[in-house]
Amino acid sequence: MPAPIEGSKTQALLSTLEEATAQHGRYYDQYLSFNIRFESDNTSAFRDAKRFRDMLQTLGIPVASTELVITDKDVDPRWSVTALVLGVARRVARTMGRTLIIGHYAGHSRVGEGGLEFFAAPGKEQSFRYDSTLQPFCIEDSTFCDADIILILDSHYSGAATRDSPLTTRSVEVVAAVKADSEIIAEIKNDTFTSRLAEMVLQHVRRGDSSISFAELVSELRESNYPDRYPEYWLRTGRVGVRVPVLANVSVPLHYRTLMSPNSLATGHRNSGIRDILRSSSPSASTSNYMALFSVRIGDADASSEEVRKLVEWVHSLDPSIGLEVTNVYPSYPTVIIFYSPWSLWAQLNGLPGFSLICEALGRDKLQGIISLLTDSNPLPNASPLSIETI
């Protein structure tokens, strides 16, 4: 059971929820991307590398500025991957402003004593470990303090990369093909995790979305149960997920358009007019109906206090399209509040102190029985649910 929220208690929870429900995109002064695969790979990773580049093109951002193909002659690939990370770090350090980095790996992986490890192919010794190469992206460090990062991992056990990294003030997302304890089911040709992500991005761009949330894309994949396995999303650091601007769909005056070319974005060109336009572009509401029920434990806060009442009122005042609801409040030690929300919102809160998933399902109807059970029964010792209307 997770430790309760301490300190300012209810106010800390309110601040966390305010950040998580914020619907505003962020302007980036520079966009960087990289792709990693093994030359000896036998999973058609070269096709997924192309699909990744296609996805970037669809978003209107520079296509894989760095592509690392680990050759058969590379005796110790970790140094090649480390060199890639250091190269990205140098480009971030040279840029005034904020950078978005999108990285991609497709191929084989396994979990051993040292954690998640990527390798060339069965019978091949070539490998590199996540924790000694890519994980530094997730650690609070002056090199990457002005960068948000999305890592897309299309491999067996890739969900293991979502664990055990410290929280920082930046946003770092891991988008994994499967859970930490799962292998990828044999792929249907041309229908990999990467291809599905690229296809969904294209659908969102065609409908005119001004930004893309990978938390929402993963939620839609979980909703479709594609195919009989669940991809993972984890906001590894920070409290607010990344919304990737769809530059092709942003309405920009004619005299700004030349400044939004891939070349100007890649070199970190800054322009306050473009920044204001991107910030004012509101994202479309999520189309996913995949929902989550979760609890939050708040220190020794009094559930009937003014603070809790204000928290419930604030949740009720949110735009209904956000989908966050309070279903129950249990006055106990600690106070427990039950929330209902889209899975994509829960995914950005998962792992924070005091937060715990109760269940997830497609649509409120599937969760209604559990919500009713929590309302009608007394699952917590010495605690009875308070009526939300009377708080």
Side-chain angles (χ1 to χ4, degrees), residues 127-300:
S127 66
F128 65 93
R129 280 169 42 183
Y130 170 79
D131 64 351
S132 60
T133 54
L134 297 179
Q135 189 169 348
F137 278 123
C138 304
I139 297 174
E140 185 65 78
D141 180 272
S142 58
T143 303
F144 293 110
C145 63
D146 290 326
D148 293 329
I149 300 166
I150 301 172
L151 292 178
I152 302 172
L153 304 178
D154 191 350
S155 63
H156 295 326
Y157 310 110
S158 49
T162 65
R163 298 179 176 178
D164 302 328
S165 295
L167 292 175
T168 75
T169 56
R170 301 179 295 118
S171 293
V172 177
E173 301 179 338
V174 174
V175 183
V178 290
K179 295 183 177 181
D181 58 354
S182 300
E183 291 189 357
I184 293 178
I185 299 173
E187 301 285 0
I188 302 171
K189 189 175 181 180
N190 298 324
D191 193 23
T192 63
F193 175 63
T194 302
S195 68
R196 287 302 302 269
L197 281 178
E199 177 186 333
M200 294 177 68
V201 167
L202 181 59
Q203 291 174 2
H204 281 260
V205 170
R206 283 178 171 171
R207 79 179 190 186
D209 288 4
S210 61
S211 62
I212 298 291
S213 163
F214 277 88
E216 292 174 3
L217 297 185
V218 170
S219 177
E220 291 175 24
L221 283 175
R222 291 171 79 95
E223 176 181 345
S224 63
N225 199 23
Y226 157 70
D228 300 323
R229 65 176 182 268
Y230 286 141
E232 284 286 329
Y233 167 93
W234 198 280
L235 182 57
R236 188 57 273 160
T237 72
R239 289 181 175 177
V240 181
V242 177
R243 295 204 72 94
V244 183
V246 180
L247 301 182
N249 284 350
V250 176
S251 179
V252 182
L254 182 61
H255 61 284
Y256 283 144
R257 291 178 186 172
T258 56
L259 300 177
M260 293 189 66
S261 66
N263 289 336
S264 65
L265 292 167
T267 55
H269 186 96
R270 305 186 74 197
N271 184 281
S272 59
I274 296 175
R275 179 173 61 248
D276 293 339
I277 292 168
L278 292 175
R279 282 180 174 169
S280 65
S281 298
S282 301
S284 302
S286 172
T287 58
S288 176
N289 195 34
Y290 199 69
M291 313 301 290
L293 194 67
F294 62 93
S295 65
V296 183
R297 305 168 72 224
I298 317 176
D300 59 354

Side-chain angles (χ1 to χ4, degrees), residues 4-16 18-19 239 296-302 305-308 311 335 337:
I5 296 175
E6 298 292 355
S8 56
K9 301 161 188 172
T10 310
Q11 186 56 47
L13 172 59
L14 179 58
S15 298
T16 298
E18 284 177 335
E19 290 184 58
R239 289 181 175 177
V296 183
R297 305 168 72 224
I298 317 176
D300 59 354
D302 180 358
S305 69
E306 181 70 11
E307 282 188 340
V308 174
L311 170 65
T335 288
I337 303 179

Side-chain angles (χ1 to χ4, degrees), residues 38 105 107-110 117-124 126-128:
F38 284 92
Y105 169 82
H108 288 283
S109 63
R110 59 195 169 211
E117 182 180 47
F118 307 101
F119 65 100
K124 297 280 188 177
Q126 282 183 304
S127 66
F128 65 93

